Amino acid sequence: MKGKPPFRQRQEEPYKVNDRIRAREVRVVGDYVEGGNAVLTLAQALKVAEENELDLVEISPNATPPVCKVIDYAKFKYEQKKKQKEIKANAAKTVLKEIRFGPNTDDHDFNFKLKHAINFLKEGAKVKAYVHFVGRSIVFKERGEMLLLRFAQELEEYAQVEQLPKLEGKRMFLFLAPKSSKK
C-alpha cells in the first residue's frame, strides 16, 4: 500500500536558545561575564553571546531571573548526551535467575541447585526459587515451604531473603537478593 510516509514529529529542543528565550532579564553565568555571574537584560546577554560567537542557553528556566550560560550549544548538547549515556551504562542491571524445585526434591538435586544459586548470587544476580506443584502434589504445601526455607537458610551467608515463601496458584515462590560484598 503506497501512501504518505509516517509523520515524524520534530523533537523539541530541551533548552531555549538565543531568540527563543522570553525573559526580560536573565542571570548570565560563566567565563564571559565579569565575576562569573551577572543579571543582564536579554538584549545585553544576547550581545555578549554574539560577541564571543557563541549561543545564549537557558539552563534553569524556573529560577528568577532565569539562569543562562554563554556556550557553544552543539557542544553542550553533545556533552549532555554523553553524560546520559554514561549514566545509563553505569546503572546496575539486575538479573533474575530462576531455580525450580518439585515438592519431593531429593538431597542430591537440592545440593546441585544450591551450588548454582551460590554462583548466581556471587555474580550479583537475584534468585527466584520456586516449588512447582503438579497435579495432586498441591497437598504437600508444607513440604514445599520447608524446602524453600531450608534453601534460604543454606544461602544465609550469600543472600538475604527479599520475600518469604508465598503460594501463587501452583507455585510457591521465594526471592533472594545477594548480600552486598562491601566488607
Side-chain angles (χ1 to χ4, degrees):
M1 182 173 134
K2 287 191 177 186
K4 289 183 182 179
F7 179 70
R8 275 189 19 194
Q9 208 171 11
R10 239 178 95 211
Q11 194 173 3
E12 199 173 306
E13 293 292 333
Y15 299 96
K16 290 181 183 174
V17 185
N18 298 332
D19 299 328
R20 296 219 170 141
I21 300 170
R22 292 284 163 236
R24 287 186 185 150
E25 280 190 333
V26 291
R27 180 178 301 279
V28 182
V29 294
D31 305 330
Y32 302 99
V33 186
E34 257 182 68
N37 179 353
V39 176
L40 304 171
T41 64
L42 184 59
Q44 290 173 321
L46 286 168
K47 189 177 178 197
V48 169
E50 207 173 285
E51 286 171 358
N52 293 298
E53 296 179 2
L54 294 170
D55 302 303
L56 184 69
V57 181
E58 189 178 53
I59 51 177
S60 183
N62 299 332
T64 44
V67 180
C68 295
K69 200 170 186 179
V70 178
I71 47 176
D72 181 3
Y73 186 59
K75 187 177 178 183
F76 176 71
K77 266 178 54 177
Y78 171 74
E79 286 172 358
Q80 292 291 85
K81 211 174 195 178
K82 203 171 168 183
K83 278 183 192 172
Q84 290 300 324
K85 250 186 188 173
E86 200 172 300
I87 289 168
K88 202 173 180 182
N90 292 338
K93 294 172 181 80
T94 55
V95 179
L96 182 69
K97 297 285 188 173
E98 290 188 2
I99 295 181
R100 177 183 168 174
F101 293 100
N104 301 321
T105 301
D106 199 30
D107 283 344
H108 177 265
D109 294 332
F110 179 85
N111 292 330
F112 182 79
K113 291 176 183 193
L114 187 70
K115 284 178 189 168
H116 279 286
I118 290 169
N119 289 336
F120 294 149
L121 290 164
K122 281 182 179 175
E123 290 169 8
K126 289 184 176 184
V127 174
K128 172 183 172 183
Y130 66 93
V131 177
H132 186 72
F133 298 100
V134 182
R136 300 273 316 262
S137 67
I138 195 81
V139 296
F140 299 115
K141 282 182 238 159
E142 302 81 34
R143 208 182 281 182
E145 191 173 359
M146 297 283 285
L147 185 74
L148 289 175
L149 289 172
R150 180 176 152 216
F151 188 69
Q153 192 176 10
E154 295 278 337
L155 292 170
E156 205 169 9
E157 64 182 87
Y158 302 101
Q160 57 198 26
V161 176
E162 242 180 26
Q163 184 185 324
L164 287 168
K166 179 180 170 187
L167 186 68
E168 286 179 19
K170 292 184 175 184
R171 291 180 175 181
M172 187 176 282
F173 295 98
L174 168 76
F175 286 92
L176 300 164
K179 279 189 177 173
S180 55
S181 57
K182 294 171 188 167
K183 290 182 182 176

